[in-house]
Amino acid sequence: MPDIVISNFSFPTRIRFGAGALEELPQQLDALGIRRPLVVTDPGLLATGAFKALEKISGKKWAVFSGVHPNPTIEDVDAAAAAGREAQCDAVIAFGGGSALDVGKVIRLCLKRPDKPLIPFEFEADWSGLAPCVAIPTTAGTGSEVGRSSVIDPELTRGLPPKLTAATGADALIHCLESFTSPVFHPLCDGIALEGIHLIGEALPRAVRNGNDLDARGRMQVAAAMGAVAFQKDLGAIHSLAHPLSTFCGLHHGTANALCAPFVMEFNAARKPGTYQRVGIAFGLNDPDDAATIKHVSGLLREIGLAPGLRAYGVKESLLDPMADQAFADSCHQTNPVPVVRDDLRHLYQLAM
Ligand SMILES: [Zn+2]
């Protein structure tokens, strides 16, 4: 039994899940007392069937801010908040992938305190009494929708291309995998992470193969939300390696995770045998050891088109040192199953090349 510290366990989100859930949105807004929502999204979504479905439901009456960048900036937040004030909005509908959802959630702080900069803020005082936010994910990966109120409708991910389905789905898998194996005491998250792994192992290859498989799409959306709930327990070295790959080389966050995952798993299993045994069981393997589980994860990532090899994604040898510095400065690896030093991260990048 680990030392039990006094911990907070909170699972506060209400989720409406199912194909067609989007059509209930007007009633949901009424129930929350929302009159003038601001839709926050990114420019790429405007042309999608998912956005057209939202427009149809809104009768095009809602204000829209569509200037969110991938890996959004503080300027995106300021501009979205300005659009919200201009249209006197009383709520936010965050619509899209993780970037749009994150911006949508955070601008409520700007709307509450228009005369103050976003940072610094006081968590207790400033994050209460915010305008409601309905988060509607159109990907199945980051799980950013697990905020205050969410609508999850697998119909909206139907049009997501296989590459993005694979990358976002791999991110969800690695959220479950890293949170489950991190040494923090949080059995609630552990249970959710294992079921997330089970769902993803079964549904992700299907969702990549056939985007119209609504059952697989639905399972992936729930699993993505479960991954995000699970990682309030924290992540590990895979995410520390992935973050610089996005900032230095522009890799998609999920792709970056997938390309590093098998090497970090080998590293961890060599130093702490048995780390991945229960992960293997969650995948449905019979009496798995670490090696069998790692082989299974590698095979799954290959199957969805994410075979290792950073070089193929344009990562240059000369970047490995600065990326290793940044990866070591990243806090995720502090909850890796085993401790890592800067040179371990450098070595893992080299292996992943
Ligand atoms: Zn992630």
Side-chain angles (χ1 to χ4, degrees), residues 31-112:
L32 290 165
I34 296 170
R35 299 275 163 266
R36 288 180 309 278
L38 173 72
V39 177
V40 175
T41 190
D42 68 65
L45 265 163
L46 296 179
T48 63
F51 187 79
K52 299 226 157 76
L54 182 74
E55 259 190 337
K56 192 170 159 213
I57 284 164
S58 72
K60 300 194 182 181
K61 281 196 210 102
W62 300 336
V64 176
F65 175 82
S66 63
V68 178
H69 293 91
N71 303 317
T73 61
I74 202 111
E75 287 78 29
D76 292 355
V77 173
D78 289 340
R85 274 192 293 272
E86 163 98 28
Q88 298 184 318
C89 292
D90 58 358
V92 175
I93 295 175
F95 191 83
S99 304
L101 267 46
D102 286 345
V103 170
K105 283 192 286 191
V106 83
I107 65 164
R108 297 173 304 149
L109 192 57
C110 310
L111 295 175
K112 181 182 167 186

Side-chain angles (χ1 to χ4, degrees), residues 77-283:
V77 173
D78 289 340
R85 274 192 293 272
E86 163 98 28
Q88 298 184 318
C89 292
D90 58 358
V92 175
I93 295 175
F95 191 83
S99 304
L101 267 46
D102 286 345
V103 170
K105 283 192 286 191
V106 83
I107 65 164
R108 297 173 304 149
L109 192 57
C110 310
L111 295 175
K112 181 182 167 186
R113 329 172 310 165
D115 41 352
K116 287 193 192 162
L118 179 61
I119 299 166
F121 55 78
E122 268 184 59
F123 198 80
E124 295 292 330
D126 291 333
W127 282 93
S128 57
L130 296 179
C133 177
V134 179
I136 306 178
T138 61
T139 65
T142 66
S144 294
E145 64 274 18
V146 196
R148 259 185 55 187
S149 180
S150 301
V151 174
I152 299 187
D153 184 341
E155 289 275 2
L156 301 177
T157 61
R158 239 193 234 274
L160 197 65
K163 262 195 174 159
L164 262 182
T165 304
T168 51
D171 188 30
L173 172 63
I174 288 157
H175 291 159
C176 293
L177 192 134
E178 289 211 292
S179 57
F180 177 71
T181 55
S182 97
V184 177
F185 180 73
H186 203 319
L188 287 81
C189 285
D190 290 341
I192 289 170
L194 286 178
E195 182 60 12
I197 289 168
H198 169 74
L199 287 168
I200 294 167
E202 191 270 328
L204 180 55
R206 282 200 287 136
V208 172
R209 257 196 317 273
N210 174 12
N212 287 314
D213 184 338
L214 261 199
D215 178 73
R217 291 289 200 190
R219 282 167 198 265
M220 280 309 299
Q221 274 198 320
V222 174
M226 290 166 78
V229 170
F231 84 62
Q232 56 171 290
K233 192 192 144 181
D234 280 323
L235 293 163
I238 301 174
H239 267 78
S240 285
L241 290 170
H243 292 143
L245 284 167
S246 297
T247 46
F248 280 78
C249 311
L251 262 70
H252 184 281
H253 171 67
T255 304
N257 273 311
L259 299 183
C260 298
F263 306 99
V264 176
M265 293 175 77
E266 299 270 9
F267 176 94
N268 292 339
R271 285 155 186 81
K272 192 178 171 195
T275 297
Y276 297 107
Q277 189 189 21
R278 293 183 65 199
V279 172
I281 295 170
F283 277 119

Side-chain angles (χ1 to χ4, degrees), residues 278-340:
R278 293 183 65 199
V279 172
I281 295 170
F283 277 119
L285 304 182
N286 189 18
D287 198 16
D289 57 9
D290 290 323
T293 306
I294 296 168
K295 190 166 169 238
H296 185 81
V297 170
S298 300
L300 176 70
L301 294 172
R302 264 175 210 284
E303 186 182 349
I304 61 171
L306 293 169
L310 293 175
R311 271 193 198 89
Y313 290 82
V315 178
K316 300 266 184 303
E317 207 87 19
S318 59
L319 290 173
L320 300 191
D321 277 311
M323 288 202 306
D325 292 338
Q326 202 187 86
F328 189 65
D330 182 285
S331 63
C332 288
H333 69 77
Q334 287 168 9
T335 46
N336 196 58
V338 297
V340 293

